[in-house]
Amino acid sequence: MFPADVARMVTEQDRRVIASGMPMFLEEHLLEVGEGRDRVVNSRKMLIADGDGNPQYLVGVIEDVTERVTTRQRISHLAHHDVLADLPNRSASNAALAERLKRAGEAATRASISTASRRSTTCSVTPSATC
């Protein structure tokens, strides 16, 4: 998005706040600056009226939260992947298995579970099933 496009987007948001009189809160949305410099921002806008209720000021705050979002994503990735091999760890494997079993149960199918000992256990996936 080019600077002129950003200006049009901001102007349109300003018009909506002025027309409605309601504050605008946009959390963690992409602000396209261009050339690989896009940012994730929180935007807040509020209309300040004079004594007669007529628009007097429009206050806007844009907070750059790119580093916070990137760090949160990195921490989540590290929590579920081996640092050296970047492969899913036990936590990620257990979560994936639980999700697959849940989907299999919803589809009322049978699931095959391979264990570390390379034997396969097949069990019926029902709420009270045991293998």
Side-chain angles (χ1 to χ4, degrees), residues 19-80:
S20 70
M22 299 297 298
M24 177 184 285
F25 302 100
L26 300 172
E27 299 293 323
E28 295 185 3
H29 65 96
L30 185 64
L31 180 63
E32 296 179 31
V33 180
E35 299 177 18
R37 301 179 328 190
D38 296 345
R39 309 302 291 173
V40 178
V41 298
N42 292 338
S43 299
R44 296 170 186 83
K45 295 183 181 206
M46 175 193 282
L47 185 66
I48 308 293
D50 62 12
D52 297 328
N54 298 316
Q56 186 70 26
Y57 302 101
L58 180 65
V59 178
V61 176
I62 297 177
E63 174 187 18
D64 186 341
V65 294
T66 306
E67 280 189 48
R68 183 186 319 160
V69 170
T70 303
T71 301
R72 184 182 334 130
Q73 291 169 342
R74 179 74 180 139
I75 290 170
S76 176
H77 182 82
L78 288 172
H80 297 97

Side-chain angles (χ1 to χ4, degrees), residues 100-111 123-127:
R100 287 186 182 121
L101 287 173
K102 178 182 172 192
R103 281 188 276 148
E106 290 169 354
T109 62
R110 297 180 61 82
C123 63
S124 178
V125 181
T126 61

Side-chain angles (χ1 to χ4, degrees), residues 74 77-78 80-89:
R74 179 74 180 139
H77 182 82
L78 288 172
H80 297 97
H81 291 78
D82 176 76
V83 177
L84 295 176
D86 200 34
L87 295 171
N89 63 15

